[in-house]
């Protein structure tokens, strides 16, 4: 369908899964552009034969050069700073990549007439009450530096569609789990902690609700939007069911056969959003459906980490991850002891 696809952030968790899916589905020409931040890993594309350009999406000259050289006709933008806790510790880089970087990609897309798909998040809706499920038309009420930067990115995308007539689409995904996720995120962090018999630091009461979605469902949802979605539109992507963090923990502990005594309730995340839940009917109308329930998604993901110690052990042993873990958790765990 597309001649040549630029996948930015293709060495990250979801981007790498998406590149693998594109290849499986026979999309021949793919180019990855990735800065290889701490979250980007070449290992995520091990065995995959696609050109990888190491570079920053905020570099307009580079983005233009890559798009011209490879005759790109679709950009799918996964590149982002993605962890809420990191955005609380170090917010500026989030504006840089998620706002400025998105803007640079849009500008090159406009100049060269390239279709643009933005990978966004359900966090832009902010925390929601009761039994509401966010609709694509709901107001954006982001509450963390991460989600605020993603909301700003979405609004730039919409502005390029309205003002310049650029062919754009946006997907807003819920919490993804699966292979190749960086260990800072809760499911790989808690799974590997449990395997190592380390405590699991649950923020606050652990009753926050999330729609845990398998990454493959997210990726097939993005493909459905690229193939059948309406230009200028936004689509939510999720399993369409929520569970609490404590329920998520039980599923992963069951999977790796470790006791609940590893659970520690620690000081809460600042501004912690209590509940996200997306209404996915608009995407379902394109013929897409999630294949994994949140339970199946979490169990499958936890099993993957159990079976792939060679993937995650080097990260856990790295000085940068140890420094992050110490900064984020040492005081919390000490106070909870
Ligand atoms: P990730 O952190 O695993 O990967 C991000 C990738 O982007 C890394 O490879 C990193 O090197 C690259 N990158 C970061 N800054 C860059 C820059 N300036 N230039 C080029 N590359 C850069 O992220 P992920 O979890 O795979 O998320 C991918 C996208 O999906 C993000 O836009 C995120 O907001 C969105 N999203 C994530 C989730 C989730 O649960 N993980 C859910 C919904 C939406
Ligand atoms: O909803 C989509 C979003 O999901 C994406 O846009 C983000 O990129 C992705 O990081 C994720 O954000 P969350 O903040 O929901 O995910 P995280 O894995 O950080 O946390 C999930 C839940 O677990 C959340 O309620 C916080 C809680 N948590 C997290 C960590 C890391 C803990 O209780 N303890 C922890 O140590």
């Amino acid at each position: 369908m597309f001649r040549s696809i630029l996948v930015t952030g293709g060495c990250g968790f979801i981007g790498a899964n998406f590149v693998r899916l594109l290849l499986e589905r026979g999309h021949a020409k793919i180019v990855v552009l990735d800065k290889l931040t701490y979250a980007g890993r070449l290992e995520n594309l091990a065995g995959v034969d696609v050109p990888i350009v190491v570079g920053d999406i905020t570099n307009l000259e580079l983005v233009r050069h890559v798009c011209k050289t490879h005759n790109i006709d679709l950009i799918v933008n996964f590149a982002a700073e993605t962890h809420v806790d990191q955005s609380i510790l170090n917010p500026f880089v989030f504006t840089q990549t998620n706002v400025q970087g998105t803007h640079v990609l849009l500008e090159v897309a406009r100049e060269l007439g390239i279709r643009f798909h933005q990978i966004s998040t359900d966090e832009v809706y902010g925390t929601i009450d009761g039994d509401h499920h966010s609709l694509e038309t709901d107001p954006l009420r982001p509450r963390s530096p991460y989600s605020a930067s993603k909301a700003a990115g979405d609004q730039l995308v919409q502005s390029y569609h309205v003002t310049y007539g650029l062919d754009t689409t946006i997907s807003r995904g819920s919490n993804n789990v699966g292979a190749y996720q960086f260990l800072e995120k809760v499911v790989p962090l808690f799974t590997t902690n449990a395997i190592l018999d380390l405590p699991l630091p649950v923020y606050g009461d652990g009753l926050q609700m999330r729609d845990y979605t398998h990454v493959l469902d997210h990726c097939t949802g993005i493909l459905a939007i690229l193939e059948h979605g309406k230009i200028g539109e936004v689509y939510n992507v999720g399993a369409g069911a929520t569970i609490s963090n404590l329920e998520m923990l039980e599923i992963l502990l069951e999977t790796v056969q470790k006791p609940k005594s590893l659970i520690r309730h620690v000081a809460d995340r600042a501004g912690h959003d209590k509940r996200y839940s997306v209404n996915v009917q608009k995407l379902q109308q394109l013929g897409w459906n999630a294949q994994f329930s949140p339970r199946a998604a979490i169990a499958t993901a936890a099993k993957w980490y159990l079976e792939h110690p060679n993937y995650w052990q080097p990260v856990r042993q790295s000085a940068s991850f140890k420094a992050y873990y110490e900064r984020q958790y040492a005081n919390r765990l000490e106070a909870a002891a």
Side-chain angles (χ1 to χ4, degrees):
M1 211 179 91
F2 295 97
R3 189 177 58 227
S4 184
I5 305 174
L6 179 66
V7 179
T8 62
C11 295
F13 162 48
I14 308 174
N17 278 284
F18 184 70
V19 167
R20 289 169 184 276
L21 180 70
L22 282 179
L23 289 172
E24 256 174 57
R25 297 280 171 97
H27 288 268
K29 192 141 187 270
I30 300 158
V31 180
V32 167
L33 172 61
D34 199 296
K35 188 179 174 182
L36 295 181
T37 65
Y38 73 92
R41 296 185 69 200
L42 289 172
E43 293 89 330
N44 292 352
L45 287 178
V48 173
D49 185 17
V50 296
I52 299 173
V53 179
V54 178
D56 195 319
I57 59 165
T58 63
N59 182 341
L60 192 136
E61 296 302 320
L62 173 71
V63 173
R64 181 190 285 132
H65 174 74
V66 171
C67 289
K68 280 187 169 171
T69 311
H70 295 277
N71 207 9
I72 297 296
D73 62 348
L74 167 68
I75 296 174
V76 185
N77 180 29
F78 291 90
E81 290 293 335
T82 61
H83 191 42
V84 175
D85 291 329
Q86 299 270 16
S87 85
I88 296 167
L89 294 171
N90 184 22
F92 273 121
V93 67
F94 283 73
T95 334
Q96 196 58 31
T97 289
N98 301 357
V99 186
Q100 179 73 9
T102 301
H103 199 171
V104 164
L105 295 173
L106 285 165
E107 194 50 30
V108 173
R110 171 169 90 94
E111 182 188 321
L112 302 178
I114 297 172
R115 164 127 185 229
F116 186 87
H117 182 78
Q118 173 74 348
I119 307 297
S120 183
T121 167
D122 62 357
E123 298 205 10
V124 297
Y125 299 119
T127 192
I128 55 167
D129 293 330
D131 52 10
H132 182 62
H133 307 288
S134 299
L135 289 165
E136 290 84 350
T137 46
D138 281 358
L140 305 189
R141 294 202 174 98
R143 291 162 24 100
S144 72
Y146 163 66
S147 54
S149 68
K150 292 296 290 185
D154 282 21
Q155 295 192 323
L156 277 168
V157 175
Q158 296 289 49
S159 80
Y160 267 63
H161 173 67
V162 171
T163 307
Y164 302 114
L166 185 68
D167 282 358
T168 63
T169 38
I170 296 175
S171 50
R172 296 194 178 131
S174 56
N175 285 65
N176 278 217
V177 297
Y180 309 113
Q181 187 167 32
F182 194 73
L183 300 189
E184 66 195 349
K185 306 291 170 23
V186 75
V187 167
L189 182 79
F190 283 11
T191 305
T192 55
N193 273 22
I195 294 169
L196 297 168
D197 292 313
L198 293 171
L200 313 185
V202 177
Y203 294 154
D205 59 13
L207 297 178
Q208 304 82 11
M209 303 297 287
R210 295 288 185 272
D211 176 338
Y212 287 100
T213 300
H214 198 280
V215 65
L216 295 179
D217 281 333
H218 188 184
C219 290
T220 57
I222 297 163
L223 261 189
I225 297 163
L226 294 174
E227 289 171 0
H228 309 295
K230 198 168 156 217
I231 295 298
E233 293 290 314
V234 179
Y235 294 86
N236 292 333
V237 191
T242 53
I243 59 173
S244 72
N245 286 336
L246 289 182
E247 288 169 294
M248 170 271 291
L249 260 175
E250 281 188 23
I251 299 163
L252 76 80
L253 284 172
E254 230 173 75
T255 309
V256 299
Q257 307 248 293
K258 293 287 178 172
K260 281 192 196 170
S261 55
L262 289 174
I263 297 174
R264 299 282 185 287
H265 287 271
V266 300
D268 211 346
R269 172 183 278 176
H272 198 167
D273 285 341
K274 183 87 183 158
R275 178 170 171 268
Y276 306 132
S277 175
V278 280
N279 179 319
V280 293
Q281 283 172 7
K282 187 172 171 184
L283 181 56
Q284 286 171 330
Q285 281 160 13
L286 301 183
W288 170 92
N289 271 299
Q291 303 299 312
F292 293 80
S293 64
R295 165 172 280 276
I298 291 158
T300 308
K303 192 160 174 279
W304 191 85
Y305 288 91
L306 195 58
E307 290 169 351
H308 294 82
N310 291 344
Y311 175 80
W312 54 265
Q313 276 168 348
V315 176
R316 290 223 56 133
Q317 283 154 12
S318 69
S320 60
F321 186 79
K322 282 183 178 165
Y324 167 72
Y325 194 86
E326 172 77 13
R327 185 170 177 197
Q328 183 64 20
Y329 296 108
N331 289 343
R332 279 186 158 93
L333 284 166
E334 205 179 295

